[in-house]
Amino acid sequence: KHKENGVSSLLLARGAIIKPWISTEIKEKRHWDISGSERLDIIKKYVSYGLEHWGSDDKGVESTRYFLLNWLSFLHRYVPVGLLDVSPGVIQIAHRPPVHYSRDDREELLSSSYVGDWIKISEIFLGKCEEGYHFEPKHKANSYKRN
């Protein structure tokens, strides 16, 4: 029945929250061992789209930051293929990311489950937050650590 209704595309969309380059992997029929720099480039493009959509005034930056931080609350779960001990197909979207050692500081920051680190990432692209800025992910999952 799921093939009749096209439900399988929803599963792809859920995976794309954590791994937005998944369509490239499917098209090229390979796993992409994406670097921290390449992931930051994707985030930079996301921020650019947000500022284009909501504007670059204070309200636009606030909206972009809010949606970026919510996305980062999922994106941090990605573990680069080159660091996995098992086949990427074995890991389920609902599982916690396996323990791993990052290859560099960028990967370490991007895989952090601390809200404060996500805020640091947002500040790279959107400037400093106001003093005492607080963020709590919309989905309120247990997969992250609060400040």
Side-chain angles (χ1 to χ4, degrees), residues 37-139:
S37 295
E38 290 168 313
R39 290 167 62 198
L40 284 171
D41 288 343
I42 291 170
I43 293 170
K44 182 178 181 179
K45 188 180 282 190
Y46 179 92
V47 168
S48 175
Y49 292 148
L51 294 174
E52 182 180 315
H53 179 75
W54 286 295
S56 57
D57 61 349
D58 290 344
K59 181 68 176 157
V61 170
E62 179 183 320
S63 295
T64 302
R65 187 181 314 274
Y66 173 76
F67 285 101
L68 172 62
L69 290 170
N70 270 297
W71 181 40
L72 290 172
S73 74
F74 287 97
L75 194 61
H76 83 274
R77 298 179 192 181
Y78 173 72
V79 178
V81 174
L83 301 178
L84 292 175
D85 293 334
V86 297
S87 168
V90 174
I91 298 173
Q92 300 283 322
I93 193 168
H95 292 168
R96 291 186 186 276
V99 175
H100 66 282
Y101 296 98
S102 300
R103 296 175 282 205
D104 62 35
D105 292 342
R106 283 168 273 177
E107 279 187 355
E108 186 72 27
L109 183 62
L110 289 165
S111 63
S112 173
S113 59
Y114 289 101
V115 173
D117 286 338
W118 306 340
I119 292 172
K120 285 180 194 173
I121 294 169
S122 80
E123 290 177 336
I124 292 170
F125 301 103
L126 295 167
K128 293 292 270 176
C129 295
E130 294 177 14
E131 189 68 33
Y133 181 82
H134 175 76
F135 171 76
E136 187 157 338
K138 185 176 175 182
H139 58 84

Side-chain angles (χ1 to χ4, degrees), residues 20-50:
W21 52 89
I22 195 167
S23 59
T24 301
E25 289 187 341
I26 292 169
K27 181 180 175 184
E28 297 178 5
K29 298 179 182 172
R30 67 177 179 98
H31 292 290
W32 184 7
D33 189 16
I34 188 167
S35 70
S37 295
E38 290 168 313
R39 290 167 62 198
L40 284 171
D41 288 343
I42 291 170
I43 293 170
K44 182 178 181 179
K45 188 180 282 190
Y46 179 92
V47 168
S48 175
Y49 292 148

